[in-house]
Amino acid sequence: MPFCDAHLHLADFTDAEGSITLARGAKILLYSASTNLRDSARNLELARGSPDLIKAFVGVHPSDAAKGLDEKELESLSTRATGVGEVGLDPKYSAVTERSEQLRIFRVQLEIAERLGRPVQVHSRGAGEACLDNLESFDPPSVLLHWFEGSELVPRAAAKGYYVSFGPAILYSKKLAGIAKSYPRNLILTESDAPVTYSPLGEAVSGPSLIPSVVFFLSQLLGLDFAEMALTVSENSRRYLEGKKG
Ligand SMILES: [Zn+2]
């Protein structure tokens, strides 16, 4: 596949089948992340239907972490999944303190990913440093920091070989462009985080079909031609999925 949407939420789509057909036509591989265990089961079902196109990530997002976690159920889902995600920390949803449920659930999921040897997808908004602190005490085979905004943490994340995925927000965010420019090229992935929409791009615009535009933007930013950039991202995505550290 020439393109990869390394982080989106197919279980949240109103018309997942239509988007999957479009992605197949545009040759965009889909790594579908989960918000809760119900999504996780749905992602596994979608991946079973299109195993060449869709890779299922199962897990509980920081937005749902305060509701608790059936650890046995997650472990059983994880054995059938490609990876674990979307996991992470975000103080916007509930407290992130040493004894918080959000932190405990993040760590439980990192432990499962490490034990089962699954790549993880990490949400780190407002908690980049705490995410890295916790990631460093586990050893999952590979780590993707999705929509990563911690400019000051770039050297630390890059030194650990963590992948970073850039989405449509890079088309208008100077901060994200700055991170992409300073991040090692062999660790860069692309994502849509769909069905998220991006108001500067118009509310109707969303989905994996934005991926080639993100690749084009990255190619201009990094001084590569489009095909070279697409190939680089595609190879990075494959290595990440295979659990290879950058
Ligand atoms: Zn997401």
Side-chain angles (χ1 to χ4, degrees):
M1 288 276 176
F3 298 109
C4 180
D5 188 342
H7 181 91
L8 81 168
H9 298 264
L10 286 174
D12 292 343
F13 280 47
T14 41
D15 177 21
E17 297 302 337
S19 297
I20 291 165
T21 303
L22 285 174
R24 185 179 293 289
K27 297 189 165 42
I28 304 169
L29 199 57
L30 308 172
Y31 298 175
S32 188
S34 301
T35 302
N36 50 46
L37 297 189
R38 197 189 52 227
D39 281 8
S40 300
R42 172 76 175 137
N43 275 322
L44 285 170
E45 182 188 314
L46 289 168
R48 237 188 345 264
S50 305
D52 57 326
L53 189 73
I54 301 171
K55 307 295 170 190
F57 282 69
V58 300
V60 174
H61 188 280
S63 64
D64 284 40
K67 297 174 197 155
L69 168 67
D70 180 340
E71 294 174 28
K72 284 231 155 58
E73 176 65 9
L74 177 65
E75 180 154 354
S76 143
L77 292 164
S78 300
T79 58
R80 287 179 278 138
T82 296
V84 172
E86 168 173 8
V87 302
L89 299 171
D90 188 335
K92 187 182 153 214
Y93 298 117
S94 60
V96 179
T97 57
E98 206 39 58
R99 285 161 181 260
S100 63
E101 185 68 351
Q102 203 186 127
L103 180 62
R104 189 185 72 78
I105 283 177
F106 181 37
R107 294 179 65 88
V108 164
Q109 297 186 95
L110 289 176
E111 191 277 325
I112 290 174
E114 176 182 330
R115 189 155 37 83
L116 300 181
R118 296 292 190 273
V120 294
Q121 294 195 344
V122 178
H123 170 111
S124 58
R125 181 174 56 190
E129 195 160 16
C131 279
L132 294 190
D133 288 346
N134 285 283
L135 280 165
E136 285 171 11
S137 54
F138 294 90
D139 191 24
S142 55
V143 172
L144 172 64
L145 302 170
H146 114 85
W147 203 330
F148 180 63
E149 293 186 310
S151 315
E152 69 293 351
L153 298 169
V154 160
R156 188 173 162 194
K160 293 298 289 183
Y162 296 160
Y163 295 85
V164 168
S165 50
F166 295 93
I170 199 174
L171 303 176
Y172 55 83
S173 162
K174 288 202 164 54
K175 183 181 188 183
L176 289 174
I179 294 174
K181 208 160 184 178
S182 61
Y183 216 72
R185 221 169 261 184
N186 64 319
L187 297 176
I188 290 178
L189 271 60
T190 50
E191 64 161 76
S192 70
D193 206 9
V196 166
T197 57
Y198 302 86
S199 42
L201 305 180
E203 285 301 331
V205 182
S206 171
S209 54
L210 288 168
I211 295 295
S213 303
V214 175
V215 171
F216 180 76
F217 183 90
L218 286 167
S219 74
Q220 300 282 295
L221 186 73
L222 303 179
L224 298 175
D225 66 41
F226 180 72
E228 208 178 343
M229 191 73 237
L231 183 63
T232 300
V233 174
S234 165
E235 285 180 352
N236 296 347
S237 312
R238 180 179 49 76
R239 283 201 318 281
Y240 162 67
L241 207 68
E242 288 170 353
K244 298 198 172 109
K245 291 195 171 64

